[in-house]
Amino acid sequence: MKLAIETFKLSNYNEGASYALNALGVINRNISNYDRSIKLHEEAKSFADKANSNELRIISLNMAGVAYRRMDVIKPALDYHTEALKIAYSVKDPSSTVSYNIAVSQNSIGNIYLALQQYDVALTQFKKSLEIEKKADNKLGLAINYHNIGYAEEAKGNLDTALANYEKSLYYNEAINSEVGRMICFNSIGGIYLKKEDYGKAEPIIRDALNKALALKDQFYIASSYINLGQLEIALNRIPEAKKNLKKGLEVASDYNLKSSIASSSKLLSEVNQKTGNYKTALDYYQNAVDIENTILTEKNLQYVNDIVIEYENENKNNQIKALASEKEAMRLRLERNKRIFWYSILALTILGIALFIINRNRSLEQDKHILTLEQDMLRSQMNPHFIFNSLNSIKLYIINNEKENAVYYLNKFSKLIRKILIASKEKETTLNDELETMKLYMNIENIRFDNEIDFNVNVDESINTEVTKVPSLILQPFLENALWHGLSSKPDNKRIDLNVFKTSSDYITVEIIDNGIGRIASKKIKDNKKLKRKSVGIDITKARLSNFSKSFQHSYTLDIDDLYENNAPTGTRVTLNIPV
């Protein structure tokens, strides 16, 4: 690498020299030689200036900023990243490299906010960076940003959310086979299990993270892993081991000036010495931790960061204003053209509106016609000539047999039923009370033909106000007719129909019609053996009427027909109808 750099310098290949110096700087940063790394990136920046390459300037500035951030040196880190952002946003038609480095800058600024414990602002930066990486499908960038989002969520106490983001980061690191990424994720995931007091899961993954860090010679994560391991051993009351590992972590952090790690290890060593009764030593460690944290979390640092960000945002807004001003003249010209388009559009919309009105009007008329057809079909179904003839014939038998009282009684019932059917045919809906009264009349008349053998019962839940509850007119008659002629007509005795009305939801009333007939399978066999077959349309009409009725409600009707069995033998049929209210 050094030979390549010297060759590039001698041949005045400035782009190559800048690129090689940045690569060497990253190598030094990954083994925690931060001072050397910064010098290399600054030298790379000088060659980028000679080559007049904005891409290389941005890369050099960002890499120097990352090295400073690793050392928790806030001001120069922020200066470098902000300068990189300014150059990046000044580039017209930015390349993928420039867009990537915008994400790097925003990610690093987010990390600076993390160091200053400004977690919500940090999350905003990370999410901006994440969107850029998603568009570029940059798996390394996605891994880095998901990890940083997890770190911010962990600091806010959202451990489950943090763990989910760490696992996403690990997924992308596995996809690009990054051993460094695995080490970082293992360290963080182990820390989450440690905070959740799941020590069985925490210990192996923390030790694995330490082994990977040692193999990679990354002093930043070696220190972090020793600190995590020491904290775990405190929790497991392995005090001597905890003290040993925390001192190792502090030693590495001190050698490489890793301020956050120095503060964390010092606090934990203070806790260890408290547990062993060394209170003076505990106080010294704690004071050292506080002093280090104060060098990071100073009000001056916070103000400096806020001032830089505000300055950057203002400059960005000024650039946007200039861009808007350049478009003003073009907008004026477009405005004249748009005025003409506007009036043409108004004319077109007017014509379209009239056309839509006519179409909707025709649809409404078609719908009304459909409803009228359904009502007429319903009336024809209820006023079936066979039903009227058979009913009158049954009443005639009472007259022939000189049973005047029965004849008058059933003739009165029949006339009431016919009157109710005629009234209902003019109305789309009726009260539940009227519907049930009509069904009782219908069953009374039909029962004559069954020699009054049918035990018909109506049960209504007391919580239902039948006088105000609305249902489609004569909606239950087809189900009762089916129960009579398909379920009970072929049964010799013990014929029963129960009509139950109840409410299990505020959105529906439920009507249940249960017969103890022969069941649908047996009924179908009888029907199939008949020579004269008549297609029943009553249920189809009823479904269409229920569908139309339901349009006025949030929920539609539901209809279920179930065969009832006892010891594998059919015992009847149950119709369950849910009508919206």
Side-chain angles (χ1 to χ4, degrees):
M1 180 71 78
K2 289 181 180 179
L3 180 61
I5 291 170
E6 291 304 321
T7 303
F8 292 147
K9 287 180 179 179
L10 290 171
S11 61
N12 290 322
Y13 182 30
N14 296 317
E15 289 93 341
S18 178
Y19 184 88
L21 285 163
N22 275 323
L24 189 57
V26 171
I27 291 170
N28 277 270
R29 186 189 75 205
N30 286 341
I31 57 174
S32 304
N33 291 334
Y34 297 119
D35 291 333
R36 176 67 178 150
S37 173
I38 289 166
K39 286 179 183 178
L40 289 165
H41 291 311
E42 287 174 342
E43 190 178 355
K45 164 72 164 52
S46 68
F47 279 96
D49 290 336
K50 290 178 184 178
N52 195 26
S53 169
N54 277 332
E55 280 192 5
L56 290 171
R57 285 192 190 103
I58 294 164
I59 293 169
S60 303
L61 290 165
N62 268 334
M63 293 302 100
V66 171
Y68 273 117
R69 178 172 56 77
R70 281 285 191 92
M71 298 165 66
D72 291 318
V73 183
I74 300 299
K75 290 183 181 179
L78 187 60
D79 287 340
Y80 277 119
H81 288 308
T82 306
E83 188 179 349
L85 267 181
K86 286 179 181 177
I87 296 171
Y89 278 120
S90 71
V91 176
K92 291 183 178 179
D93 301 320
S95 66
S96 59
T97 302
V98 172
S99 296
Y100 167 71
N101 274 274
I102 291 172
V104 171
S105 298
Q106 289 175 330
N107 185 284
S108 293
I109 291 171
N111 274 290
I112 291 169
Y113 276 115
L114 278 184
L116 296 173
Q117 298 180 6
Q118 305 291 302
Y119 303 121
D120 289 326
V121 186
L123 278 169
T124 301
Q125 295 295 327
F126 293 144
K127 287 175 181 177
K128 286 180 181 178
S129 179
L130 183 67
E131 287 305 311
I132 295 172
E133 304 293 17
K134 281 182 178 178
K135 287 177 183 176
D137 192 28
N138 177 19
K139 291 182 173 59
L140 175 60
L142 291 168
I144 291 169
N145 279 284
Y146 276 122
H147 184 271
N148 287 336
I149 290 170
Y151 191 91
E153 293 290 357
E154 180 183 354
K156 291 175 70 177
N158 302 326
L159 299 184
D160 290 331
T161 306
L163 181 59
N165 280 285
Y166 288 149
E167 286 173 344
K168 284 183 183 177
S169 177
L170 180 59
Y171 168 80
Y172 285 110
N173 279 308
E174 294 286 3
I176 59 176
N177 195 27
S178 169
E179 190 67 8
V180 174
R182 289 190 193 99
M183 171 199 67
I184 294 169
C185 290
F186 281 14
N187 206 37
S188 298
I189 291 169
I192 290 289
Y193 286 132
L194 183 57
K195 287 183 178 179
K196 286 187 159 194
E197 299 181 359
D198 192 345
Y199 305 126
K201 287 184 178 179
E203 184 164 9
I205 201 167
I206 289 172
R207 290 190 184 278
D208 200 357
L210 176 58
N211 291 333
K212 289 180 185 296
L214 289 168
L216 293 165
K217 297 181 181 179
D218 190 319
Q219 305 303 318
F220 182 90
Y221 284 103
I222 288 172
S224 180
S225 297
Y226 272 127
I227 292 166
N228 265 354
L229 187 55
Q231 190 175 0
L232 171 68
E233 286 165 339
I234 291 172
L236 296 173
N237 203 29
R238 300 199 294 244
I239 302 303
E241 292 88 346
K243 190 173 184 179
K244 177 184 173 183
N245 285 302
L246 289 170
K247 281 188 173 182
K248 284 183 181 179
L250 178 58
E251 183 182 347
V252 173
S254 299
D255 288 344
Y256 291 90
N257 196 25
L258 306 174
K259 293 183 179 181
S260 294
S261 295
I262 293 170
S264 298
S265 57
S266 295
K267 276 189 177 179
L268 291 167
L269 280 165
S270 174
E271 184 181 341
V272 166
N273 280 279
Q274 275 185 294
K275 287 180 179 290
T276 57
N278 298 322
Y279 299 111
K280 175 67 171 63
T281 308
L283 180 60
D284 291 341
Y285 276 122
Y286 186 77
Q287 188 59 52
N288 183 48
V290 171
D291 291 342
I292 292 292
E293 284 180 342
N294 286 339
T295 65
I296 302 171
L297 299 172
T298 61
E299 186 176 341
K300 189 175 180 181
N301 272 347
L302 287 170
Q303 186 60 50
Y304 183 77
V305 171
N306 288 331
D307 289 345
I308 289 291
V309 172
I310 289 168
E311 180 186 341
Y312 159 70
E313 288 178 350
N314 285 339
E315 185 170 338
N316 199 28
K317 285 178 182 176
N318 288 334
N319 290 335
Q320 290 176 354
I321 289 169
K322 289 177 183 177
L324 289 170
S326 65
E327 292 181 9
K328 187 176 179 180
E329 182 61 21
M331 285 183 67
R332 187 185 67 78
L333 295 173
R334 286 199 298 269
L335 184 62
E336 292 298 323
R337 184 189 65 184
N338 290 343
K339 282 182 180 178
R340 291 192 296 273
I341 293 172
F342 171 77
W343 289 114
Y344 289 137
S345 299
I346 290 293
L347 179 61
L349 287 172
T350 303
I351 295 170
L352 180 62
I354 293 170
L356 288 174
F357 173 78
I358 293 170
I359 290 168
N360 285 332
R361 178 63 179 165
N362 286 338
R363 284 180 180 172
S364 178
L365 291 172
E366 287 294 324
Q367 179 69 11
D368 290 344
K369 182 180 177 182
H370 178 63
I371 293 169
L372 180 61
T373 302
L374 287 176
E375 300 302 331
Q376 289 173 343
D377 289 343
M378 179 270 293
L379 178 60
R380 281 194 292 270
S381 174
Q382 315 303 333
M383 297 291 287
N384 188 306
H386 293 287
F387 167 70
I388 294 173
F389 173 79
N390 290 332
S391 299
L392 289 173
N393 203 39
S394 298
I395 294 169
K396 183 180 75 173
L397 287 175
Y398 284 123
I399 296 170
I400 292 170
N401 293 332
N402 205 28
E403 297 180 36
K404 295 179 182 179
E405 290 184 4
N406 283 335
V408 171
Y409 175 79
Y410 284 111
L411 190 58
N412 187 38
K413 294 278 185 184
F414 180 74
S415 64
K416 283 183 179 180
L417 176 61
I418 295 299
R419 185 171 66 252
K420 281 186 173 289
I421 290 173
L422 291 171
I423 292 171
S425 67
K426 299 176 184 178
E427 299 173 351
K428 294 180 182 179
E429 58 185 42
T430 185
T431 65
L432 179 59
N433 184 66
D434 279 348
E435 178 71 4
L436 294 175
E437 288 300 320
T438 305
M439 293 306 104
K440 288 175 185 177
L441 286 170
Y442 170 74
M443 287 300 296
N444 275 334
I445 298 302
E446 287 284 33
N447 215 355
I448 302 173
R449 300 161 66 186
F450 285 85
D451 295 326
N452 291 314
E453 291 179 343
I454 298 172
D455 182 14
F456 177 63
N457 300 288
V458 177
N459 305 299
V460 182
D461 192 320
E462 292 181 358
S463 65
I464 298 173
N465 188 340
T466 58
E467 295 291 346
V468 297
T469 303
K470 297 289 186 177
V471 295
S473 305
L474 302 171
I475 205 68
L476 303 179
Q477 187 272 336
F479 301 111
L480 290 172
E481 183 179 357
N482 276 0
L484 284 168
W485 297 107
H486 298 297
L488 298 177
S489 63
S490 300
K491 190 176 181 183
D493 53 21
N494 188 25
K495 302 174 184 180
R496 180 184 178 90
I497 297 178
D498 291 321
L499 194 160
N500 304 315
V501 184
F502 53 91
K503 203 169 190 179
T504 57
S505 163
S506 59
D507 299 321
Y508 297 99
I509 61 160
T510 301
V511 179
E512 218 177 42
I513 298 173
I514 303 172
D515 67 69
N516 64 345
I518 62 174
R520 289 187 294 173
I521 295 174
S523 175
K524 186 176 183 302
K525 287 180 181 178
I526 293 171
K527 182 180 177 182
D528 290 343
N529 290 328
K530 287 182 178 179
K531 292 182 180 180
L532 181 61
K533 297 180 181 180
R534 184 174 61 92
K535 183 181 177 182
S536 174
V537 294
I539 297 297
D540 292 337
I541 295 170
T542 300
K543 287 180 180 178
R545 293 182 63 222
L546 281 166
S547 178
N548 187 66
F549 177 79
S550 299
K551 289 178 182 178
S552 304
F553 298 90
Q554 185 177 358
H555 302 282
S556 185
Y557 81 97
T558 63
L559 173 64
D560 294 303
I561 302 175
D562 301 306
D563 293 306
L564 304 178
Y565 292 90
E566 189 174 311
N567 297 325
N568 293 325
T571 58
T573 306
R574 177 178 60 224
V575 175
T576 306
L577 175 62
N578 290 310
I579 303 174
V581 292

